[in-house]
Every structure is written in structure tokens, then in C-alpha cells.
């Protein structure tokens, strides 16, 4: 996977000058993981997670590697064959978005924008392709602490905070561009995203609990 890692790192937070000098560390973490975990290996999106950890712990490559390993342990189902965790999470996102963000959910569906046209982009990069880098670093503790519930909470917070922009967008192309590209350069504050996500957590946990209790 060395060639794939090298190619992907060229595009990883390419607009952030602070990332370029850290690419050797990021590459080492990804190569080591792929070697030690051949069943999962390397998949696109992991590059954003490794970069986030290296930038979050710039002077502690050992800690960045450890935190990356924790993320892979929790979320390997986002990247492994069949993407089981992605499939599981999409069901709950649809349930919660329809229930709590009904106007936006309806607008997305009427525009032909289905969850699988945007959630993999955000989730397989653990929000590296959706949020500004400082916001990803800020939200990462919550994500690692709460697992898939944390991912869902950050996702719902993201859509709540972007709701006005998205509701004013017209058509599939414009909506997907806003979600998958423009949002990463928008002025989303990581602390605000995390606080908003923590308010979503009880709703996410309640939905998961009530579903598993059936």
C-alpha cells in the first residue's frame, strides 16, 4: 500500500501548510498499521485520521500512533470488507435526521441526495473531508470516547449547524458540493461543533437503546 499512501498524502489537507512537514510521520503510522493488520490494510480515508492524530500530538509520534490505533480498533468496520459499521450507522443517521431535522432531511431526499452519497466521505475520513482541520482535532476526543454514537452526534451537529446553507441550496450537485467540499473551508468552530454534538448524544443513545430493546 506504500504507493497508495504516498498518492493519498499528496491530497490530505493539501491546503494546510502545517501538514506537509509531517507527512513522513503520517506515512510511517499508516504503513505500520497496514503491515500489522493485513486483514484491514490501508484504505482511503485513513490518511485523514492519521494526519489528524499527528497534528493533534505534533511532538509525540508514539501517542499519535496509539490514538490512531484506538480509532482503527473502534472504527475498523468503516473500512473493512462490506463496510458493516457504515451500514449500521447509516440506518441510525436516517432515523435521527428524519426525526429531529425533518425539514432538512426532506429537502435532501427531494433533491435526490441519499445518505450514501455523502456519509462515506465524512465518516471514512472521520470528518477530515467535512470539517476544518482544527475542528476535526477538537472533535476527535469525543469521537474516540463515544464510538459510533460520537460519529453520529458529530454528524447531526454538522448538519444542524449547516442547515440554513443547505436548505437554501438547490439541486443535488449544489448540495453535495456544500456537504463534501465547501464545508471543510467554512468557519466551523471545533469547540462549538463538539458542544453541539454532546447535546445530540442523549438522542443518539436513546435511539440505539430503543432499537436494540425491540
Amino acid at each position: 500500500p506504500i504507493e497508495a499512501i504516498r498518492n493519498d498524502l499528496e491530497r490530505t489537507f493539501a491546503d494546510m501548510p502545517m501538514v506537509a512537514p509531517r507527512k513522513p510521520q503520517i506515512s510511517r503510522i499508516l504503513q505500520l498499521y497496514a503491515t500489522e493488520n493485513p486483514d484491514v490494510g490501508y484504505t482511503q480515508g485513513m490518511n485523514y485520521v492519521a494526519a489528524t492524530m499527528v497534528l493533534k500530538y505534533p511532538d509525540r509520534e508514539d501517542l499519535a500512533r496509539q490514538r490512531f490505533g484506538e480509532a482503527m480498533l473502534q472504527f475498523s468496520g468503516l473500512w473493512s470488507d462490506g463496510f458493516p459499521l457504515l451500514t449500521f450507522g447509516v440506518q441510525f443517521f436516517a432515523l435521527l435526521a428524519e426525526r429531529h431535522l425533518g425539514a432538512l432531511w426532506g429537502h435532501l431526499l427531494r433533491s435526490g441526495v441519499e445518505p450514501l452519497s455523502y456519509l462515506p466521505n465524512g465518516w471514512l475520513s472521520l470528518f477530515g473531508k467535512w470539517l476544518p482541520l482544527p475542528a476535526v482535532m477538537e472533535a476527535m476526543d469525543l469521537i474516540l470516547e463515544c464510538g459510533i454514537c460520537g460519529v453520529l452526534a458529530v454528524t447531526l451537529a454538522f448538519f444542524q449547524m449547516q442547515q440554513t446553507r443547505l436548505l437554501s441550496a438547490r439541486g443535488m450537485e449544489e448540495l453535495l458540493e456544500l456537504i463534501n467540499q465547501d464545508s471543510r473551508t467554512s468557519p466551523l468552530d471545533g469547540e462549538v461543533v463538539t458542544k453541539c454534538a454532546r447535546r445530540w448524544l442523549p438522542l443518539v443513545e436513546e435511539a440505539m437503546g430503543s432499537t436494540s430493546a425491540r
Side-chain angles (χ1 to χ4, degrees):
I2 294 172
E3 191 63 32
I5 290 169
R6 187 184 297 120
N7 290 338
D8 286 346
L9 283 182
E10 289 301 314
R11 300 185 289 268
T12 306
F13 297 120
D15 56 330
M16 303 292 289
M18 68 182 84
V19 175
R22 300 288 179 181
K23 284 181 180 177
Q25 293 163 272
I26 300 166
S27 181
R28 280 195 296 273
I29 288 172
L30 290 168
Q31 288 182 44
L32 184 64
Y33 179 82
T35 302
E36 293 180 347
N37 300 273
D39 52 325
V40 180
Y42 169 76
T43 303
Q44 203 172 60
M46 292 180 181
N47 46 312
Y48 282 91
V49 184
T52 300
M53 297 309 184
V54 167
L55 270 292
K56 190 171 171 64
Y57 307 104
D59 302 316
R60 291 287 308 277
E61 188 174 335
D62 58 331
L63 185 55
R65 186 185 299 118
Q66 179 190 323
R67 297 296 270 171
F68 177 78
E70 289 170 16
M72 293 301 103
L73 193 63
Q74 286 223 56
F75 300 112
S76 62
L78 291 175
W79 298 283
S80 56
D81 288 347
F83 310 106
L85 191 58
L86 178 67
T87 305
F88 176 81
V90 166
Q91 295 172 350
F92 280 100
F93 173 76
L95 175 77
L96 287 155
E98 184 177 17
R99 186 180 295 171
H100 300 290
L101 297 171
L104 178 57
W105 177 247
H107 178 58
L108 291 170
L109 291 185
R110 284 191 301 275
S111 303
V113 179
E114 298 285 341
L116 284 175
S117 63
Y118 52 87
L119 289 181
N121 208 47
W123 289 1
L124 270 64
S125 64
L126 283 187
F127 302 101
K129 290 187 175 182
W130 275 8
L131 296 173
L133 177 54
V136 184
M137 291 193 282
E138 183 78 33
M140 193 56 71
D141 291 334
L142 170 69
I143 293 164
L144 292 181
E145 175 193 333
C146 302
I148 189 62
C149 286
V151 167
L152 283 162
V154 171
T155 305
L156 291 157
F158 169 82
F159 277 94
Q160 184 181 19
M161 293 171 73
Q162 296 283 68
Q163 190 165 210
T164 303
R165 291 180 77 200
L166 294 171
L167 283 171
S168 65
R170 290 289 170 264
M172 182 193 299
E173 195 173 322
E174 187 181 350
L175 280 161
L176 286 175
E177 196 169 307
L178 277 173
I179 297 168
N180 286 330
Q181 295 174 38
D182 292 2
S183 61
R184 205 176 67 72
T185 54
S186 64
L188 284 169
D189 181 86
E191 197 174 326
V192 177
V193 172
T194 305
K195 281 181 180 175
C196 187
R198 287 204 179 275
R199 288 198 294 271
W200 276 100
L201 268 176
L203 296 171
V204 174
E205 289 164 352
E206 180 191 357
M208 287 206 169
S210 61
T211 305
S212 62
R214 286 175 191 168

